[in-house]
Amino acid sequence: QVRLVESGGGLVQAGGSLRLSCAASGINFSRYAMGWYRQAPGKQRELVAVITSGGSTNYTDSVKGRFTISRDNAKNTVYLQMNSLKPEDTGVYYCKTQRIDRADYWGQGTQVTVSS
């Protein structure tokens, strides 16, 4: 059973910070790239950040310099540190497995709301 469980979302004022966590089970975590996605109200789900099994990272332009994705393979957990939050960062944040030769698995999402 593959399970991804996000946590750490909440309500924060603009300029504040949150750290999201995604705990994975049922997979060989260290072999998977992991991504954070978000879906704002009325918008398509978008990739926010990705970290490869080797630790390389990429970010969508709108969060570069503000968000940091990291992973702790010993804890089977991927993190998204979000700083200098803006109202446009509001949305449901999801973690997702990424393996070219495997099915994608999604977490249930965690709500991030940034007030102006």
Side-chain angles (χ1 to χ4, degrees), residues 1-43:
Q1 178 185 342
V2 177
R3 190 180 184 196
L4 305 177
V5 180
E6 300 98 333
S7 62
L11 175 64
V12 65
Q13 293 183 1
S17 298
L18 287 171
R19 189 179 77 155
L20 307 183
S21 299
C22 173
S25 60
I27 60 169
N28 189 349
F29 179 79
S30 65
R31 296 187 64 181
Y32 281 77
M34 299 293 298
W36 282 100
Y37 292 73
R38 68 186 178 191
Q39 188 163 20
K43 295 186 177 181

Side-chain angles (χ1 to χ4, degrees), residues 42-55:
K43 295 186 177 181
Q44 296 289 322
R45 192 172 298 184
E46 65 171 341
L47 177 65
V48 176
V50 63
I51 184 165
T52 70
S53 60

Side-chain angles (χ1 to χ4, degrees), residues 38-41 86-93 111-115:
R38 68 186 178 191
Q39 188 163 20
K86 304 174 180 179
E88 51 262 47
D89 295 318
T90 293
V92 179
Y93 284 69
Q111 176 70 44
V112 172
T113 303
V114 184
S115 62

Side-chain angles (χ1 to χ4, degrees), residues 35-83:
W36 282 100
Y37 292 73
R38 68 186 178 191
Q39 188 163 20
K43 295 186 177 181
Q44 296 289 322
R45 192 172 298 184
E46 65 171 341
L47 177 65
V48 176
V50 63
I51 184 165
T52 70
S53 60
S56 298
T57 60
N58 279 293
Y59 303 89
T60 192
D61 286 345
S62 63
V63 309
K64 287 180 180 176
R66 300 188 298 118
F67 290 12
T68 303
I69 188 171
S70 62
R71 67 192 298 157
D72 185 340
N73 288 343
K75 296 181 178 180
N76 287 356
T77 300
V78 61
Y79 304 94
L80 186 67
Q81 178 67 46
M82 305 185 295
N83 298 326

